[in-house]
Amino acid sequence: INIIAELLRVRAKNDTATPLRMLSDDMEGWEITYHAGRIAERAIEQRQQSSKDDGMKLTKEEVSLIGGRVMAITMRLEDLEWELVHRCKQESWIIKYDEWDNFGILQDESCIKSLDKRILSDPLFTINRAERLL
């Protein structure tokens, strides 16, 4: 969840040095894959370092699984986000009780800048969104 949340934050910055969305017409999909892989690799390395003391070091299989899942989510992120928003808008209780934040979505996500701003300013919103995208 933390790696996906980090990917969402990096993408929200719209930094051309680490693009996680198509920022221009001359970009290619492999660039997004490459940067997502680097972010996942750094996060897994940090996890492995912190796990030396607690004995919870990931196995090679777990590392591979996490890396693969992060890459799959990154490459399908827009589709997954659309699906999340679409399903939440069909649930009357989410609308009735204004539960959008618990799912990490805005009631109106038509403005990417508003979504990016929220992701960068609200860690709980970002974690909720990352969790639902898994």
Side-chain angles (χ1 to χ4, degrees), residues 40-85:
E41 181 180 40
R42 282 193 304 268
I44 290 170
E45 286 173 3
Q46 289 174 351
R47 170 76 165 92
Q48 295 294 66
Q49 286 295 328
S50 67
S51 296
K52 286 182 180 178
D53 295 334
D54 64 16
M56 298 297 292
K57 195 169 183 179
L58 299 172
T59 65
K60 287 183 181 183
E61 293 82 12
E62 290 169 327
V63 168
S64 179
L65 176 69
I66 291 168
R69 186 161 296 172
V70 167
M71 298 308 297
I73 289 170
T74 302
M75 297 314 297
R76 303 296 298 171
L77 194 54
E78 289 180 11
D79 294 334
L80 292 170
E81 288 175 311
W82 182 90
E83 189 69 31
L84 175 62
V85 171

Side-chain angles (χ1 to χ4, degrees), residues 3-4 6-7 10 17-20 29-46 63-64 66-75:
I3 296 172
I4 302 302
E6 180 60 19
L7 288 169
V10 169
T18 54
L20 291 178
W30 68 265
E31 294 176 83
I32 293 171
T33 304
Y34 172 78
H35 292 294
R38 297 286 303 166
I39 291 168
E41 181 180 40
R42 282 193 304 268
I44 290 170
E45 286 173 3
Q46 289 174 351
V63 168
S64 179
I66 291 168
R69 186 161 296 172
V70 167
M71 298 308 297
I73 289 170
T74 302
M75 297 314 297

